[in-house]
């Protein structure tokens, strides 16, 4: 593997955006697929971080994400004991401005480094082969080329764009003769027979190369993003791009902004078990399968079933006499679909949105910077919740006008504020929070705190909260 000096390390840029609709209901806008453990115990975002945890080749990753998902990024980075810089987009402007902003940021902080752009929601099964492919693109990237990684096809897939490779350029890189859009089946068969590669959408380049190429086609957007980076404000140690400047950049993908217009695109081919997990059929294809080609996660039993993918979040799912079927059971929604129609899930989600179904965008488990909660039961005048607070986390100081609450600690030690009293409660201890009392729940310990909260009152909506963070200054 190519070795790099410290100043010339590759800085991975991990793109952590996306709406998450293609893997509904496991993935949703409020908790997209890159944060979910789709294969194994780690999320695809965490797997991506681990994949570039090689100090002989990679420097510190930069994660670019939006403000909504910041706390998920920070939590998942900490969970696996790694470090990463974070750059926050105030609004989504597609991959073009995001990659441009990341390149400008790295050019200012690591001027000798290369940039490796990676999607946070892709799967790579052969990490050593992935790293070897990246290393083989260094020579071309240092020569001013924009390296993309083409995947040797394992099938005539119609869900990927393809790359036609041309003559050798530098090392193992070849010219990109052309990019082609997602084909129909017959065209895909011809592409595979002709040696075309799948377009993975990951790139390696010097920051100056992408900045100059972008400016050659859209100087105004480069000026706007440059100003957004220069005028970024810091929020608890994390830079947030200036919103007005960032909004001035054209919303566009990097493919249209640069890759389909540049004369400097080259491709390095690889065979490292890659998938962009573009649907349930793609996840089935890269998941461990039994003798009947079934893949499962959770409590699942198959009888006389073949070629199916089944996932259960908790309850037993028994499947009888099905073929090429997708079944996904979460706490609040169940999907049953023909595996061959996985590409239509986005349309299904759009239909649910139009019907006003909250399940279209939000999980039953609601994530917050301090932890998460899930409603266990809700009736007219009471509601029961499970609340988990991470170590060091705390909820805002608040009160409710229409409900009282009873908290039972079931794990850890909870620090509880009620008006002027602060006390610690251990497992199997409880406390009553009267309606109108100013209160807070915090976790001073080293393990998660879990409580069961029972609310009673005339109105139990999440908007019945008056916060006092600017009035009270309590720890």
């Amino acid at each position: 593997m190519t070795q790099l000096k410290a100043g010339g390390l590759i800085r991975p840029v991990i793109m952590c955006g996306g709406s998450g609709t293609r893997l509904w209901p496991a993935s949703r806008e409020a908790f997209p697929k890159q944060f979910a453990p789709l294969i194994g115990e780690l999320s695809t975002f965490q797997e991506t971080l681990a994949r570039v945890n090689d100090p002989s080749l990679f420097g510190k990753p930069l994660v670019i994400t939006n403000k909504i998902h910041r706390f998920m990024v920070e939590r998942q980075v900490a969970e696996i004991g790694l470090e990463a810089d974070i750059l926050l987009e105030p609004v989504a402007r597609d991959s073009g401005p995001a990659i441009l902003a990341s390149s400008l940021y790295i050019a200012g902080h690591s001027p000798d480094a290369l940039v490796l752009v990676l999607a946070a929601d892709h799967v790579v099964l052969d990490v050593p082969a992935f790293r070897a492919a990246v290393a083989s693109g260094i020579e071309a990237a240092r020569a001013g080329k924009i390296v993309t990684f083409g995947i040797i096809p394992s099938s005539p897939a119609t869900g990927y764009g393809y790359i036609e490779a041309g003559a050798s350029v530098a090392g193992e890189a070849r010219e990109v003769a052309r990019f082609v859009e997602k084909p129909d089946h017959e065209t895909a068969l011809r592409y595979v027979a002709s040696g075309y590669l799948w377009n993975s959408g990951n790139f390696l380049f010097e920051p100056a190369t992408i900045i100059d190429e972008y400016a050659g086609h859209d100087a105004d957007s480069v000026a706007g993003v440059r100003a957004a980076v220069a005028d970024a404000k810091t929020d608890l140690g994390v830079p947030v791009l200036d919103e007005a400047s960032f909004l001035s950049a054209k919303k566009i993908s990097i493919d249209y902004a640069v890759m389909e217009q540049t004369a400097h695109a080259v491709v390095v081919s690889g065979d490292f078990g890659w998938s962009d997990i573009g649907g349930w059929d793609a996840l089935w294809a890269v998941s461990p399968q039994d003798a009947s080609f079934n893949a499962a996660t959770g409590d699942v039993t198959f009888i006389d079933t073949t070629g199916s993918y089944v996932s259960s979040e908790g309850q037993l799912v028994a499947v009888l006499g099905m073929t090429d079927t997708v079944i996904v059971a979460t706490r609040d929604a169940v999907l049953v679909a023909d595996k061959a129609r996985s590409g239509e899930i986005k349309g299904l989600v759009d239909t649910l949105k139009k019907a006003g179904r909250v399940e279209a965008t939000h999980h039953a488990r609601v994530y917050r910077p301090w932890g998460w909660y899930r409603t266990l039961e809700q009736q007219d005048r009471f509601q029961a919740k499970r609340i988990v607070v991470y170590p060091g986390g705390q909820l805002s100081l608040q009160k409710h006008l229409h409900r009282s609450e009873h908290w039972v600690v079931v794990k850890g030690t909870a620090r509880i504020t009620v008006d002027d009293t602060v006390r610690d409660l251990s497992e199997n201890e409880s406390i009553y929070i009267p309606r109108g009392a100013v209160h807070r729940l915090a976790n001073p310990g080293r393990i998660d705190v879990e409580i069961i909260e029972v609310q009673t009152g005339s109105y139990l909506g999440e908007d019945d909260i008056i916060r006092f963070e600017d009035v009270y200054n309590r720890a």
Side-chain angles (χ1 to χ4, degrees), residues 2 132-150 163-177 197 202-205 259 263-270:
T2 301
V134 172
S136 68
I138 292 172
E139 182 181 349
R142 286 298 184 197
K145 302 298 183 181
I146 303 172
V147 181
T148 187
F149 296 92
I163 298 171
E164 181 183 4
S168 295
V169 177
E172 297 181 28
R174 292 185 290 169
E175 291 179 346
V176 171
L197 303 167
N202 299 312
F203 309 99
L204 178 69
F205 50 79
M259 296 308 296
H264 299 292
V266 300
V267 60
V268 169
S269 63

Side-chain angles (χ1 to χ4, degrees), residues 230-409:
D231 296 337
K233 301 295 188 295
T234 300
D235 179 18
L236 297 176
V238 175
V240 183
L241 297 171
D242 179 72
E243 184 168 354
S245 298
F246 199 59
L247 277 171
S248 71
K250 183 179 179 181
K251 185 176 183 180
I252 189 172
S253 74
I254 195 66
D255 293 333
Y256 292 125
V258 175
M259 296 308 296
E260 294 188 2
Q261 303 186 69
T262 183
H264 299 292
V266 300
V267 60
V268 169
S269 63
D271 185 10
F272 38 80
W274 170 89
S275 174
D276 71 350
I277 312 296
W280 289 112
D281 53 343
L283 183 57
W284 166 83
V286 297
S287 298
Q289 297 173 9
D290 63 17
S292 298
F293 307 104
N294 297 311
T297 60
D299 193 0
V300 177
T301 297
F302 292 108
I303 299 175
D304 192 24
T305 294
T306 60
S308 295
Y309 180 92
V310 181
S311 174
S312 172
E313 197 174 88
Q315 67 270 46
L316 168 66
V317 176
V319 186
L320 172 64
M322 303 299 291
T323 300
D324 295 334
T325 302
V326 171
I327 301 173
V328 182
T330 65
R331 297 282 181 177
D332 62 336
V334 177
L335 169 71
V336 180
D338 182 339
K339 191 176 67 185
R341 300 181 66 178
S342 295
E344 300 176 39
I345 299 297
K346 186 178 184 299
L348 170 64
V349 174
D350 289 341
T351 298
L352 294 173
K353 286 181 181 179
K354 291 176 182 177
R357 298 302 303 248
V358 68
E359 297 93 339
T361 55
H362 289 75
H363 279 277
R365 178 184 288 196
V366 179
Y367 289 87
R368 292 289 185 260
W370 44 260
W372 57 269
Y373 70 86
R374 183 173 68 233
T375 297
L376 304 176
E377 180 72 22
Q378 184 171 9
Q379 299 294 332
D380 287 342
R381 293 187 62 87
F382 84 88
Q383 180 173 214
K385 288 183 177 180
R386 179 188 176 193
I387 300 176
V388 174
V389 184
Y390 300 140
Q394 65 177 13
L395 283 69
S396 61
L397 196 66
Q398 58 189 253
K399 74 175 182 179
H400 311 295
L401 299 179
H402 302 284
R403 69 174 186 257
S404 59
E405 297 172 343
H406 192 171
W407 294 349
V408 180
V409 180

Side-chain angles (χ1 to χ4, degrees), residues 136-213:
S136 68
I138 292 172
E139 182 181 349
R142 286 298 184 197
K145 302 298 183 181
I146 303 172
V147 181
T148 187
F149 296 92
I151 308 303
I152 298 172
S154 58
S155 66
T158 58
Y160 301 137
Y162 283 72
I163 298 171
E164 181 183 4
S168 295
V169 177
E172 297 181 28
R174 292 185 290 169
E175 291 179 346
V176 171
R178 62 172 178 149
F179 295 97
V180 292
E181 298 294 334
K182 298 175 183 178
D184 58 31
H185 182 68
E186 292 300 320
T187 304
L189 284 170
R190 293 198 305 272
Y191 287 165
V192 173
S194 300
Y196 284 45
L197 303 167
W198 289 342
N199 186 359
S200 72
N202 299 312
F203 309 99
L204 178 69
F205 50 79
E206 288 189 330
T209 301
I210 206 79
I211 295 167
D212 291 345
E213 284 295 291

